[in-house]
Amino acid sequence: MTQRAASAAEATRMAIGLARAMTIGLRSWGFYPPEHPAIAVAVERFIAAATEASAGGMMQLAVTPHALLLDGLPLDSSDQAAVECAELLHDRDILQITFVAAPSDAVVRSLLAVLTLDRETRRARGGPAAIWSAEDQVAILLEQIDYQEILEREIEEG
């Protein structure tokens, strides 16, 4: 996988645009049926942001409960889109999301469907990364929070 060619400021701008598009996509998918025109607009915006972000090489965003990290540094926390996106992704057990290439309409719709599954269903199916790996695509990669590892670590430390 190639690294980004954009400057740090340009990469940050693209990452915030991507965060904004992901937030709109997740919110829209939760409010409207998949065939609604608002979904089409949200998906188009998501595709455009992901295409721009991955054009110079992959873009990897790490997720914390209240921030997205790009290259280990938090995105501008004064931008509510980045904060809200981090909260939404963290709530969906996402540890990291990587944009490798421009995603298709079908890939974005599938991602939104996976990420908006209810918590019990998502976790019963192995978590978002396990569900996503069955989609057999490579434009977007997901890593999930491993709660079992966290519990084991806490037991060892306690």
mmCIF file of all heavy atoms in Angstrom, residues 104-157:
data_model
loop_
_atom_site.group_PDB
_atom_site.id
_atom_site.type_symbol
_atom_site.label_atom_id
_atom_site.label_comp_id
_atom_site.label_asym_id
_atom_site.label_seq_id
_atom_site.Cartn_x
_atom_site.Cartn_y
_atom_site.Cartn_z
ATOM 1 N N SER A 104 -16.824 2.129 -4.579
ATOM 2 C CA SER A 104 -17.989 2.204 -5.461
ATOM 3 C C SER A 104 -19.231 2.527 -4.633
ATOM 4 O O SER A 104 -19.214 2.465 -3.394
ATOM 5 C CB SER A 104 -18.197 0.866 -6.175
ATOM 6 O OG SER A 104 -18.576 -0.131 -5.231
ATOM 7 N N ASP A 105 -20.307 2.843 -5.308
ATOM 8 C CA ASP A 105 -21.596 3.089 -4.655
ATOM 9 C C ASP A 105 -21.985 1.879 -3.805
ATOM 10 O O ASP A 105 -22.390 2.017 -2.654
ATOM 11 C CB ASP A 105 -22.651 3.384 -5.730
ATOM 12 C CG ASP A 105 -23.995 3.756 -5.157
ATOM 13 O OD1 ASP A 105 -24.785 2.833 -4.828
ATOM 14 O OD2 ASP A 105 -24.278 4.971 -5.044
ATOM 15 N N ALA A 106 -21.848 0.688 -4.379
ATOM 16 C CA ALA A 106 -22.238 -0.535 -3.658
ATOM 17 C C ALA A 106 -21.405 -0.737 -2.397
ATOM 18 O O ALA A 106 -21.926 -1.163 -1.359
ATOM 19 C CB ALA A 106 -22.111 -1.750 -4.582
ATOM 20 N N VAL A 107 -20.109 -0.427 -2.463
ATOM 21 C CA VAL A 107 -19.232 -0.595 -1.296
ATOM 22 C C VAL A 107 -19.641 0.364 -0.186
ATOM 23 O O VAL A 107 -19.740 -0.025 0.983
ATOM 24 C CB VAL A 107 -17.745 -0.405 -1.684
ATOM 25 C CG1 VAL A 107 -16.861 -0.260 -0.459
ATOM 26 C CG2 VAL A 107 -17.283 -1.570 -2.536
ATOM 27 N N VAL A 108 -19.896 1.619 -0.533
ATOM 28 C CA VAL A 108 -20.291 2.598 0.491
ATOM 29 C C VAL A 108 -21.624 2.213 1.106
ATOM 30 O O VAL A 108 -21.792 2.258 2.327
ATOM 31 C CB VAL A 108 -20.337 4.030 -0.103
ATOM 32 C CG1 VAL A 108 -20.978 5.004 0.878
ATOM 33 C CG2 VAL A 108 -18.928 4.482 -0.464
ATOM 34 N N ARG A 109 -22.580 1.808 0.285
ATOM 35 C CA ARG A 109 -23.885 1.391 0.821
ATOM 36 C C ARG A 109 -23.736 0.173 1.733
ATOM 37 O O ARG A 109 -24.371 0.093 2.784
ATOM 38 C CB ARG A 109 -24.870 1.102 -0.316
ATOM 39 C CG ARG A 109 -25.355 2.356 -1.009
ATOM 40 C CD ARG A 109 -26.238 2.041 -2.217
ATOM 41 N NE ARG A 109 -26.688 3.261 -2.837
ATOM 42 C CZ ARG A 109 -27.807 3.909 -2.508
ATOM 43 N NH1 ARG A 109 -28.586 3.421 -1.561
ATOM 44 N NH2 ARG A 109 -28.136 5.019 -3.116
ATOM 45 N N SER A 110 -22.895 -0.755 1.352
ATOM 46 C CA SER A 110 -22.664 -1.935 2.174
ATOM 47 C C SER A 110 -22.006 -1.560 3.498
ATOM 48 O O SER A 110 -22.386 -2.063 4.564
ATOM 49 C CB SER A 110 -21.789 -2.922 1.401
ATOM 50 O OG SER A 110 -21.601 -4.088 2.140
ATOM 51 N N LEU A 111 -21.018 -0.649 3.444
ATOM 52 C CA LEU A 111 -20.364 -0.193 4.671
ATOM 53 C C LEU A 111 -21.368 0.476 5.607
ATOM 54 O O LEU A 111 -21.394 0.193 6.809
ATOM 55 C CB LEU A 111 -19.224 0.771 4.344
ATOM 56 C CG LEU A 111 -18.499 1.359 5.557
ATOM 57 C CD1 LEU A 111 -17.736 0.275 6.307
ATOM 58 C CD2 LEU A 111 -17.565 2.476 5.118
ATOM 59 N N LEU A 112 -22.194 1.356 5.066
ATOM 60 C CA LEU A 112 -23.193 2.039 5.894
ATOM 61 C C LEU A 112 -24.165 1.036 6.506
ATOM 62 O O LEU A 112 -24.555 1.160 7.671
ATOM 63 C CB LEU A 112 -23.928 3.102 5.078
ATOM 64 C CG LEU A 112 -23.063 4.288 4.636
ATOM 65 C CD1 LEU A 112 -23.848 5.183 3.691
ATOM 66 C CD2 LEU A 112 -22.534 5.071 5.819
ATOM 67 N N ALA A 113 -24.537 0.019 5.732
ATOM 68 C CA ALA A 113 -25.441 -1.011 6.259
ATOM 69 C C ALA A 113 -24.789 -1.776 7.406
ATOM 70 O O ALA A 113 -25.423 -2.030 8.437
ATOM 71 C CB ALA A 113 -25.862 -1.968 5.143
ATOM 72 N N VAL A 114 -23.513 -2.124 7.255
ATOM 73 C CA VAL A 114 -22.794 -2.839 8.320
ATOM 74 C C VAL A 114 -22.684 -1.973 9.571
ATOM 75 O O VAL A 114 -22.939 -2.430 10.688
ATOM 76 C CB VAL A 114 -21.391 -3.278 7.836
ATOM 77 C CG1 VAL A 114 -20.520 -3.738 9.005
ATOM 78 C CG2 VAL A 114 -21.507 -4.376 6.804
ATOM 79 N N LEU A 115 -22.314 -0.709 9.376
ATOM 80 C CA LEU A 115 -22.078 0.161 10.526
ATOM 81 C C LEU A 115 -23.359 0.611 11.230
ATOM 82 O O LEU A 115 -23.288 1.119 12.346
ATOM 83 C CB LEU A 115 -21.255 1.380 10.109
ATOM 84 C CG LEU A 115 -19.816 1.076 9.682
ATOM 85 C CD1 LEU A 115 -19.110 2.354 9.250
ATOM 86 C CD2 LEU A 115 -19.047 0.367 10.778
ATOM 87 N N THR A 116 -24.498 0.429 10.598
ATOM 88 C CA THR A 116 -25.745 0.818 11.255
ATOM 89 C C THR A 116 -26.538 -0.378 11.773
ATOM 90 O O THR A 116 -27.661 -0.207 12.234
ATOM 91 C CB THR A 116 -26.627 1.680 10.306
ATOM 92 O OG1 THR A 116 -26.841 0.977 9.089
ATOM 93 C CG2 THR A 116 -25.973 3.022 10.035
ATOM 94 N N LEU A 117 -25.927 -1.557 11.727
ATOM 95 C CA LEU A 117 -26.570 -2.703 12.379
ATOM 96 C C LEU A 117 -26.671 -2.403 13.874
ATOM 97 O O LEU A 117 -25.801 -1.747 14.443
ATOM 98 C CB LEU A 117 -25.733 -3.974 12.201
ATOM 99 C CG LEU A 117 -25.679 -4.587 10.813
ATOM 100 C CD1 LEU A 117 -24.607 -5.682 10.773
ATOM 101 C CD2 LEU A 117 -27.037 -5.138 10.419
ATOM 102 N N ASP A 118 -27.714 -2.924 14.513
ATOM 103 C CA ASP A 118 -27.804 -2.693 15.957
ATOM 104 C C ASP A 118 -26.659 -3.424 16.653
ATOM 105 O O ASP A 118 -26.103 -4.392 16.139
ATOM 106 C CB ASP A 118 -29.171 -3.111 16.511
ATOM 107 C CG ASP A 118 -29.405 -4.601 16.429
ATOM 108 O OD1 ASP A 118 -28.948 -5.328 17.333
ATOM 109 O OD2 ASP A 118 -30.041 -5.045 15.445
ATOM 110 N N ARG A 119 -26.271 -2.909 17.792
ATOM 111 C CA ARG A 119 -25.095 -3.383 18.529
ATOM 112 C C ARG A 119 -25.119 -4.895 18.766
ATOM 113 O O ARG A 119 -24.116 -5.576 18.558
ATOM 114 C CB ARG A 119 -24.991 -2.656 19.864
ATOM 115 C CG ARG A 119 -23.791 -3.089 20.703
ATOM 116 C CD ARG A 119 -23.734 -2.317 21.973
ATOM 117 N NE ARG A 119 -23.641 -0.909 21.600
ATOM 118 C CZ ARG A 119 -22.834 -0.035 22.162
ATOM 119 N NH1 ARG A 119 -22.073 -0.401 23.157
ATOM 120 N NH2 ARG A 119 -22.792 1.210 21.774
ATOM 121 N N GLU A 120 -26.240 -5.427 19.205
ATOM 122 C CA GLU A 120 -26.312 -6.855 19.519
ATOM 123 C C GLU A 120 -26.070 -7.696 18.273
ATOM 124 O O GLU A 120 -25.324 -8.679 18.310
ATOM 125 C CB GLU A 120 -27.669 -7.204 20.155
ATOM 126 C CG GLU A 120 -27.871 -6.616 21.531
ATOM 127 C CD GLU A 120 -28.224 -5.128 21.518
ATOM 128 O OE1 GLU A 120 -28.793 -4.634 20.517
ATOM 129 O OE2 GLU A 120 -27.913 -4.449 22.509
ATOM 130 N N THR A 121 -26.708 -7.328 17.169
ATOM 131 C CA THR A 121 -26.533 -8.065 15.913
ATOM 132 C C THR A 121 -25.095 -7.969 15.447
ATOM 133 O O THR A 121 -24.478 -8.979 15.073
ATOM 134 C CB THR A 121 -27.480 -7.511 14.825
ATOM 135 O OG1 THR A 121 -28.820 -7.622 15.278
ATOM 136 C CG2 THR A 121 -27.302 -8.249 13.512
ATOM 137 N N ARG A 122 -24.542 -6.767 15.459
ATOM 138 C CA ARG A 122 -23.168 -6.541 15.004
ATOM 139 C C ARG A 122 -22.183 -7.382 15.830
ATOM 140 O O ARG A 122 -21.314 -8.052 15.281
ATOM 141 C CB ARG A 122 -22.845 -5.049 15.112
ATOM 142 C CG ARG A 122 -21.581 -4.625 14.425
ATOM 143 C CD ARG A 122 -21.381 -3.118 14.449
ATOM 144 N NE ARG A 122 -21.385 -2.561 15.790
ATOM 145 C CZ ARG A 122 -22.329 -1.755 16.282
ATOM 146 N NH1 ARG A 122 -23.350 -1.399 15.545
ATOM 147 N NH2 ARG A 122 -22.242 -1.302 17.510
ATOM 148 N N ARG A 123 -22.336 -7.370 17.132
ATOM 149 C CA ARG A 123 -21.406 -8.122 17.986
ATOM 150 C C ARG A 123 -21.639 -9.626 17.896
ATOM 151 O O ARG A 123 -20.682 -10.404 17.949
ATOM 152 C CB ARG A 123 -21.508 -7.625 19.424
ATOM 153 C CG ARG A 123 -20.884 -6.244 19.566
ATOM 154 C CD ARG A 123 -20.878 -5.736 20.970
ATOM 155 N NE ARG A 123 -20.197 -4.447 21.049
ATOM 156 C CZ ARG A 123 -20.135 -3.721 22.133
ATOM 157 N NH1 ARG A 123 -20.679 -4.145 23.262
ATOM 158 N NH2 ARG A 123 -19.509 -2.556 22.109
ATOM 159 N N ALA A 124 -22.896 -10.041 17.747
ATOM 160 C CA ALA A 124 -23.191 -11.470 17.603
ATOM 161 C C ALA A 124 -22.583 -12.036 16.318
ATOM 162 O O ALA A 124 -22.221 -13.219 16.269
ATOM 163 C CB ALA A 124 -24.701 -11.706 17.610
ATOM 164 N N ARG A 125 -22.439 -11.201 15.320
ATOM 165 C CA ARG A 125 -21.847 -11.626 14.037
ATOM 166 C C ARG A 125 -20.331 -11.469 14.018
ATOM 167 O O ARG A 125 -19.713 -11.635 12.990
ATOM 168 C CB ARG A 125 -22.496 -10.870 12.888
ATOM 169 C CG ARG A 125 -23.959 -11.268 12.689
ATOM 170 C CD ARG A 125 -24.649 -10.502 11.596
ATOM 171 N NE ARG A 125 -23.974 -10.612 10.313
ATOM 172 C CZ ARG A 125 -24.270 -9.855 9.261
ATOM 173 N NH1 ARG A 125 -25.237 -8.957 9.330
ATOM 174 N NH2 ARG A 125 -23.622 -10.005 8.135
ATOM 175 N N GLY A 126 -19.727 -11.159 15.154
ATOM 176 C CA GLY A 126 -18.270 -11.093 15.252
ATOM 177 C C GLY A 126 -17.687 -9.696 15.213
ATOM 178 O O GLY A 126 -16.480 -9.526 15.266
ATOM 179 N N GLY A 127 -18.536 -8.689 15.089
ATOM 180 C CA GLY A 127 -18.066 -7.303 15.059
ATOM 181 C C GLY A 127 -17.988 -6.776 13.643
ATOM 182 O O GLY A 127 -18.069 -7.526 12.670
ATOM 183 N N PRO A 128 -17.827 -5.462 13.520
ATOM 184 C CA PRO A 128 -17.880 -4.849 12.196
ATOM 185 C C PRO A 128 -16.766 -5.303 11.251
ATOM 186 O O PRO A 128 -17.000 -5.476 10.055
ATOM 187 C CB PRO A 128 -17.787 -3.351 12.487
ATOM 188 C CG PRO A 128 -17.152 -3.257 13.836
ATOM 189 C CD PRO A 128 -17.603 -4.480 14.574
ATOM 190 N N ALA A 129 -15.564 -5.523 11.760
ATOM 191 C CA ALA A 129 -14.464 -5.940 10.877
ATOM 192 C C ALA A 129 -14.697 -7.350 10.354
ATOM 193 O O ALA A 129 -14.422 -7.633 9.183
ATOM 194 C CB ALA A 129 -13.126 -5.842 11.604
ATOM 195 N N ALA A 130 -15.222 -8.223 11.204
ATOM 196 C CA ALA A 130 -15.511 -9.590 10.766
ATOM 197 C C ALA A 130 -16.619 -9.599 9.710
ATOM 198 O O ALA A 130 -16.516 -10.299 8.698
ATOM 199 C CB ALA A 130 -15.913 -10.454 11.966
ATOM 200 N N ILE A 131 -17.649 -8.820 9.938
ATOM 201 C CA ILE A 131 -18.739 -8.725 8.963
ATOM 202 C C ILE A 131 -18.213 -8.129 7.665
ATOM 203 O O ILE A 131 -18.504 -8.615 6.572
ATOM 204 C CB ILE A 131 -19.900 -7.868 9.517
ATOM 205 C CG1 ILE A 131 -20.482 -8.505 10.789
ATOM 206 C CG2 ILE A 131 -20.985 -7.681 8.464
ATOM 207 C CD1 ILE A 131 -21.398 -7.580 11.575
ATOM 208 N N TRP A 132 -17.417 -7.069 7.791
ATOM 209 C CA TRP A 132 -16.896 -6.367 6.624
ATOM 210 C C TRP A 132 -15.959 -7.241 5.806
ATOM 211 O O TRP A 132 -15.940 -7.176 4.578
ATOM 212 C CB TRP A 132 -16.202 -5.081 7.064
ATOM 213 C CG TRP A 132 -15.822 -4.203 5.933
ATOM 214 C CD1 TRP A 132 -14.553 -3.804 5.611
ATOM 215 C CD2 TRP A 132 -16.673 -3.592 4.962
ATOM 216 N NE1 TRP A 132 -14.587 -2.986 4.499
ATOM 217 C CE2 TRP A 132 -15.877 -2.848 4.084
ATOM 218 C CE3 TRP A 132 -18.059 -3.624 4.753
ATOM 219 C CZ2 TRP A 132 -16.397 -2.133 3.014
ATOM 220 C CZ3 TRP A 132 -18.578 -2.903 3.693
ATOM 221 C CH2 TRP A 132 -17.752 -2.179 2.831
ATOM 222 N N SER A 133 -15.160 -8.079 6.456
ATOM 223 C CA SER A 133 -14.220 -8.935 5.722
ATOM 224 C C SER A 133 -14.958 -9.887 4.786
ATOM 225 O O SER A 133 -14.423 -10.283 3.751
ATOM 226 C CB SER A 133 -13.308 -9.702 6.671
ATOM 227 O OG SER A 133 -14.042 -10.653 7.404
ATOM 228 N N ALA A 134 -16.196 -10.245 5.120
ATOM 229 C CA ALA A 134 -16.985 -11.117 4.253
ATOM 230 C C ALA A 134 -17.448 -10.397 2.983
ATOM 231 O O ALA A 134 -17.879 -11.040 2.033
ATOM 232 C CB ALA A 134 -18.197 -11.650 5.020
ATOM 233 N N GLU A 135 -17.350 -9.070 2.975
ATOM 234 C CA GLU A 135 -17.762 -8.296 1.799
ATOM 235 C C GLU A 135 -16.773 -8.454 0.646
ATOM 236 O O GLU A 135 -17.084 -8.094 -0.484
ATOM 237 C CB GLU A 135 -17.916 -6.809 2.148
ATOM 238 C CG GLU A 135 -19.026 -6.526 3.126
ATOM 239 C CD GLU A 135 -20.394 -6.863 2.572
ATOM 240 O OE1 GLU A 135 -20.661 -6.557 1.384
ATOM 241 O OE2 GLU A 135 -21.209 -7.412 3.324
ATOM 242 N N ASP A 136 -15.583 -8.939 0.921
ATOM 243 C CA ASP A 136 -14.595 -9.245 -0.098
ATOM 244 C C ASP A 136 -14.322 -8.070 -1.036
ATOM 245 O O ASP A 136 -14.468 -8.168 -2.244
ATOM 246 C CB ASP A 136 -15.029 -10.482 -0.890
ATOM 247 C CG ASP A 136 -13.886 -11.060 -1.707
ATOM 248 O OD1 ASP A 136 -12.725 -10.930 -1.259
ATOM 249 O OD2 ASP A 136 -14.140 -11.608 -2.787
ATOM 250 N N GLN A 137 -13.956 -6.970 -0.444
ATOM 251 C CA GLN A 137 -13.562 -5.794 -1.217
ATOM 252 C C GLN A 137 -12.319 -5.208 -0.562
ATOM 253 O O GLN A 137 -12.006 -5.538 0.567
ATOM 254 C CB GLN A 137 -14.706 -4.795 -1.319
ATOM 255 C CG GLN A 137 -15.185 -4.200 -0.003
ATOM 256 C CD GLN A 137 -14.218 -3.185 0.578
ATOM 257 O OE1 GLN A 137 -13.700 -2.345 -0.137
ATOM 258 N NE2 GLN A 137 -13.961 -3.284 1.858
ATOM 259 N N VAL A 138 -11.626 -4.333 -1.271
ATOM 260 C CA VAL A 138 -10.363 -3.823 -0.733
ATOM 261 C C VAL A 138 -10.273 -2.302 -0.711
ATOM 262 O O VAL A 138 -9.233 -1.761 -0.340
ATOM 263 C CB VAL A 138 -9.154 -4.395 -1.512
ATOM 264 C CG1 VAL A 138 -9.047 -5.892 -1.312
ATOM 265 C CG2 VAL A 138 -9.241 -4.035 -2.987
ATOM 266 N N ALA A 139 -11.319 -1.590 -1.080
ATOM 267 C CA ALA A 139 -11.264 -0.127 -1.106
ATOM 268 C C ALA A 139 -11.237 0.468 0.297
ATOM 269 O O ALA A 139 -10.592 1.482 0.535
ATOM 270 C CB ALA A 139 -12.443 0.443 -1.890
ATOM 271 N N ILE A 140 -11.938 -0.170 1.225
ATOM 272 C CA ILE A 140 -12.015 0.309 2.608
ATOM 273 C C ILE A 140 -11.736 -0.870 3.535
ATOM 274 O O ILE A 140 -12.312 -1.945 3.374
ATOM 275 C CB ILE A 140 -13.411 0.896 2.919
ATOM 276 C CG1 ILE A 140 -13.729 2.053 1.973
ATOM 277 C CG2 ILE A 140 -13.487 1.360 4.377
ATOM 278 C CD1 ILE A 140 -15.156 2.555 2.065
ATOM 279 N N LEU A 141 -10.859 -0.655 4.500
ATOM 280 C CA LEU A 141 -10.522 -1.696 5.471
ATOM 281 C C LEU A 141 -10.943 -1.242 6.859
ATOM 282 O O LEU A 141 -10.820 -0.061 7.198
ATOM 283 C CB LEU A 141 -9.016 -1.960 5.459
ATOM 284 C CG LEU A 141 -8.399 -2.277 4.088
ATOM 285 C CD1 LEU A 141 -6.883 -2.383 4.220
ATOM 286 C CD2 LEU A 141 -8.993 -3.545 3.511
ATOM 287 N N LEU A 142 -11.424 -2.177 7.651
ATOM 288 C CA LEU A 142 -11.841 -1.879 9.022
ATOM 289 C C LEU A 142 -11.055 -2.720 10.012
ATOM 290 O O LEU A 142 -10.788 -3.887 9.764
ATOM 291 C CB LEU A 142 -13.326 -2.209 9.220
ATOM 292 C CG LEU A 142 -14.362 -1.435 8.434
ATOM 293 C CD1 LEU A 142 -15.761 -1.942 8.795
ATOM 294 C CD2 LEU A 142 -14.252 0.045 8.682
ATOM 295 N N GLU A 143 -10.716 -2.105 11.136
ATOM 296 C CA GLU A 143 -10.198 -2.828 12.297
ATOM 297 C C GLU A 143 -11.131 -2.509 13.440
ATOM 298 O O GLU A 143 -11.584 -1.373 13.582
ATOM 299 C CB GLU A 143 -8.782 -2.390 12.640
ATOM 300 C CG GLU A 143 -7.755 -2.840 11.627
ATOM 301 C CD GLU A 143 -6.355 -2.436 12.039
ATOM 302 O OE1 GLU A 143 -5.978 -2.677 13.210
ATOM 303 O OE2 GLU A 143 -5.654 -1.876 11.186
ATOM 304 N N GLN A 144 -11.431 -3.513 14.243
ATOM 305 C CA GLN A 144 -12.379 -3.296 15.332
ATOM 306 C C GLN A 144 -11.706 -3.391 16.687
ATOM 307 O O GLN A 144 -10.622 -3.941 16.825
ATOM 308 C CB GLN A 144 -13.526 -4.305 15.236
ATOM 309 C CG GLN A 144 -13.120 -5.739 15.495
ATOM 310 C CD GLN A 144 -14.220 -6.723 15.157
ATOM 311 O OE1 GLN A 144 -15.001 -6.510 14.243
ATOM 312 N NE2 GLN A 144 -14.291 -7.808 15.911
ATOM 313 N N ILE A 145 -12.384 -2.825 17.654
ATOM 314 C CA ILE A 145 -11.932 -2.903 19.040
ATOM 315 C C ILE A 145 -12.059 -4.354 19.488
ATOM 316 O O ILE A 145 -13.089 -4.992 19.268
ATOM 317 C CB ILE A 145 -12.789 -1.992 19.941
ATOM 318 C CG1 ILE A 145 -12.657 -0.532 19.490
ATOM 319 C CG2 ILE A 145 -12.402 -2.161 21.405
ATOM 320 C CD1 ILE A 145 -13.660 0.404 20.124
ATOM 321 N N ASP A 146 -11.015 -4.877 20.088
ATOM 322 C CA ASP A 146 -11.018 -6.248 20.583
ATOM 323 C C ASP A 146 -11.274 -6.203 22.095
ATOM 324 O O ASP A 146 -10.347 -6.070 22.894
ATOM 325 C CB ASP A 146 -9.682 -6.924 20.279
ATOM 326 C CG ASP A 146 -9.675 -8.392 20.647
ATOM 327 O OD1 ASP A 146 -10.567 -8.852 21.397
ATOM 328 O OD2 ASP A 146 -8.751 -9.093 20.192
ATOM 329 N N TYR A 147 -12.547 -6.282 22.452
ATOM 330 C CA TYR A 147 -12.909 -6.176 23.864
ATOM 331 C C TYR A 147 -12.387 -7.351 24.680
ATOM 332 O O TYR A 147 -12.057 -7.190 25.855
ATOM 333 C CB TYR A 147 -14.426 -6.051 24.023
ATOM 334 C CG TYR A 147 -14.929 -4.702 23.563
ATOM 335 C CD1 TYR A 147 -15.665 -4.566 22.395
ATOM 336 C CD2 TYR A 147 -14.646 -3.547 24.288
ATOM 337 C CE1 TYR A 147 -16.112 -3.328 21.970
ATOM 338 C CE2 TYR A 147 -15.081 -2.314 23.879
ATOM 339 C CZ TYR A 147 -15.816 -2.198 22.720
ATOM 340 O OH TYR A 147 -16.238 -0.969 22.305
ATOM 341 N N GLN A 148 -12.270 -8.519 24.078
ATOM 342 C CA GLN A 148 -11.741 -9.676 24.797
ATOM 343 C C GLN A 148 -10.298 -9.410 25.209
ATOM 344 O O GLN A 148 -9.906 -9.679 26.343
ATOM 345 C CB GLN A 148 -11.827 -10.932 23.923
ATOM 346 C CG GLN A 148 -11.383 -12.192 24.641
ATOM 347 C CD GLN A 148 -12.276 -12.521 25.830
ATOM 348 O OE1 GLN A 148 -13.484 -12.323 25.785
ATOM 349 N NE2 GLN A 148 -11.677 -13.012 26.901
ATOM 350 N N GLU A 149 -9.509 -8.839 24.305
ATOM 351 C CA GLU A 149 -8.116 -8.516 24.618
ATOM 352 C C GLU A 149 -8.039 -7.473 25.730
ATOM 353 O O GLU A 149 -7.203 -7.574 26.631
ATOM 354 C CB GLU A 149 -7.412 -7.982 23.369
ATOM 355 C CG GLU A 149 -5.961 -7.638 23.606
ATOM 356 C CD GLU A 149 -5.289 -7.081 22.360
ATOM 357 O OE1 GLU A 149 -5.549 -7.595 21.265
ATOM 358 O OE2 GLU A 149 -4.509 -6.119 22.516
ATOM 359 N N ILE A 150 -8.915 -6.488 25.696
ATOM 360 C CA ILE A 150 -8.935 -5.452 26.734
ATOM 361 C C ILE A 150 -9.257 -6.064 28.089
ATOM 362 O O ILE A 150 -8.605 -5.768 29.093
ATOM 363 C CB ILE A 150 -9.944 -4.346 26.376
ATOM 364 C CG1 ILE A 150 -9.446 -3.566 25.152
ATOM 365 C CG2 ILE A 150 -10.163 -3.399 27.559
ATOM 366 C CD1 ILE A 150 -10.464 -2.621 24.566
ATOM 367 N N LEU A 151 -10.247 -6.959 28.121
ATOM 368 C CA LEU A 151 -10.624 -7.615 29.386
ATOM 369 C C LEU A 151 -9.477 -8.474 29.908
ATOM 370 O O LEU A 151 -9.184 -8.463 31.117
ATOM 371 C CB LEU A 151 -11.886 -8.456 29.195
ATOM 372 C CG LEU A 151 -13.173 -7.690 28.985
ATOM 373 C CD1 LEU A 151 -14.309 -8.631 28.641
ATOM 374 C CD2 LEU A 151 -13.518 -6.866 30.221
ATOM 375 N N GLU A 152 -8.820 -9.209 29.017
ATOM 376 C CA GLU A 152 -7.696 -10.044 29.445
ATOM 377 C C GLU A 152 -6.556 -9.186 30.000
ATOM 378 O O GLU A 152 -5.937 -9.541 30.989
ATOM 379 C CB GLU A 152 -7.212 -10.905 28.281
ATOM 380 C CG GLU A 152 -8.185 -12.004 27.926
ATOM 381 C CD GLU A 152 -7.813 -12.739 26.644
ATOM 382 O OE1 GLU A 152 -6.772 -12.420 26.013
ATOM 383 O OE2 GLU A 152 -8.594 -13.638 26.250
ATOM 384 N N ARG A 153 -6.286 -8.068 29.349
ATOM 385 C CA ARG A 153 -5.237 -7.147 29.805
ATOM 386 C C ARG A 153 -5.582 -6.599 31.188
ATOM 387 O O ARG A 153 -4.719 -6.497 32.055
ATOM 388 C CB ARG A 153 -5.065 -6.007 28.797
ATOM 389 C CG ARG A 153 -3.800 -5.244 28.991
ATOM 390 C CD ARG A 153 -3.544 -4.203 27.918
ATOM 391 N NE ARG A 153 -4.145 -4.507 26.644
ATOM 392 C CZ ARG A 153 -4.722 -3.603 25.854
ATOM 393 N NH1 ARG A 153 -4.753 -2.334 26.209
ATOM 394 N NH2 ARG A 153 -5.247 -3.943 24.703
ATOM 395 N N GLU A 154 -6.841 -6.223 31.403
ATOM 396 C CA GLU A 154 -7.262 -5.685 32.703
ATOM 397 C C GLU A 154 -7.127 -6.740 33.809
ATOM 398 O O GLU A 154 -6.742 -6.423 34.922
ATOM 399 C CB GLU A 154 -8.700 -5.163 32.623
ATOM 400 C CG GLU A 154 -8.808 -3.861 31.866
ATOM 401 C CD GLU A 154 -10.250 -3.357 31.761
ATOM 402 O OE1 GLU A 154 -11.182 -4.036 32.250
ATOM 403 O OE2 GLU A 154 -10.436 -2.296 31.145
ATOM 404 N N ILE A 155 -7.442 -7.984 33.473
ATOM 405 C CA ILE A 155 -7.327 -9.063 34.457
ATOM 406 C C ILE A 155 -5.861 -9.268 34.813
ATOM 407 O O ILE A 155 -5.511 -9.433 35.988
ATOM 408 C CB ILE A 155 -7.956 -10.373 33.919
ATOM 409 C CG1 ILE A 155 -9.486 -10.207 33.855
ATOM 410 C CG2 ILE A 155 -7.561 -11.565 34.778
ATOM 411 C CD1 ILE A 155 -10.206 -11.332 33.153
ATOM 412 N N GLU A 156 -4.962 -9.268 33.802
ATOM 413 C CA GLU A 156 -3.539 -9.454 34.046
ATOM 414 C C GLU A 156 -2.966 -8.303 34.875
ATOM 415 O O GLU A 156 -2.110 -8.520 35.729
ATOM 416 C CB GLU A 156 -2.774 -9.542 32.718
ATOM 417 C CG GLU A 156 -3.016 -10.829 31.979
ATOM 418 C CD GLU A 156 -2.362 -10.834 30.610
ATOM 419 O OE1 GLU A 156 -1.624 -9.879 30.260
ATOM 420 O OE2 GLU A 156 -2.595 -11.809 29.871
ATOM 421 N N GLU A 157 -3.419 -7.087 34.629
ATOM 422 C CA GLU A 157 -2.914 -5.917 35.349
ATOM 423 C C GLU A 157 -3.516 -5.792 36.737
ATOM 424 O O GLU A 157 -2.940 -5.138 37.600
ATOM 425 C CB GLU A 157 -3.176 -4.646 34.554
ATOM 426 C CG GLU A 157 -2.368 -4.574 33.277
ATOM 427 C CD GLU A 157 -2.755 -3.389 32.398
ATOM 428 O OE1 GLU A 157 -3.651 -2.607 32.779
ATOM 429 O OE2 GLU A 157 -2.151 -3.255 31.326
#
